Amino acid sequence: MWTIIFLLIIASMVSGLIYLVSRVYKTNFIEKTSKGKKSLRILISILLVIAVFAAVWFAMGNMNAIVCLIHLVVFWILFHETWAFCTTLKSLAAFDDFNSIFAKHDKNAVKII
C-alpha cells in the first residue's frame, strides 16, 4: 500500500514539474531572456523550476517540498481554468450590455479623476 502511495506521489511530482516548466516557458520574462531561441527558452524554464524546487527541498525537506509543489500546481490550474471561464463568459454576446455598463463606469471614473 505504501509503495503505491509513494509511486503516486513521485508521479504527481514529475507531472507537476513538467506542468510548471510548460507554464514558466510561456512567460514574457523567459521569452525576453532567451531572445527568441526555443532551446534556450526551454533550458531556462527547466533550470528556474528545478532551482526553486531544490531551494524548497533543502529548506523544508523532501516530502514538504513535494506537497508544496503539488499544491502550487493545483492552485495554478484552478486559477488558470477560472480565468479562462471568466474570459469566455465575458466574450459571450449575451453579456454585451454588461460590457457597455463597464465602459460607462470607466468613463465616469476618468471624469472624476
Side-chain angles (χ1 to χ4, degrees):
M1 184 67 182
W2 286 106
T3 307
I4 295 171
I5 293 172
F6 184 72
L7 290 175
L8 287 173
I9 289 173
I10 296 299
S12 63
M13 179 190 71
V14 171
S15 62
L17 286 171
I18 292 169
Y19 177 77
L20 287 177
V21 167
S22 71
R23 298 306 304 165
V24 170
Y25 174 82
K26 296 178 182 179
T27 60
N28 289 333
F29 172 74
I30 300 297
E31 184 177 344
K32 290 178 184 176
T33 306
S34 66
K35 299 177 183 167
K37 297 178 183 173
K38 187 174 181 180
S39 59
L40 185 60
R41 193 171 176 183
I42 293 170
L43 181 66
I44 292 172
S45 300
I46 290 171
L47 290 177
L48 186 64
V49 170
I50 296 292
V52 170
F53 184 65
V56 173
W57 185 291
F58 289 123
M60 300 175 71
N62 56 358
M63 276 303 172
N64 288 330
I66 293 170
V67 169
C68 288
L69 173 85
I70 293 170
H71 279 87
L72 176 65
V73 169
V74 167
F75 283 117
W76 199 327
I77 290 171
L78 179 70
F79 291 135
H80 179 74
E81 294 303 319
T82 303
W83 179 256
F85 179 72
C86 290
T87 54
T88 302
L89 284 180
K90 187 178 178 186
S91 66
L92 292 175
F95 290 99
D96 283 338
D97 56 342
F98 286 127
N99 290 333
S100 65
I101 290 170
F102 290 140
K104 288 178 188 176
H105 178 70
D106 292 340
K107 289 178 185 175
N108 290 336
V110 171
K111 287 180 186 177
I112 291 172
I113 293 175

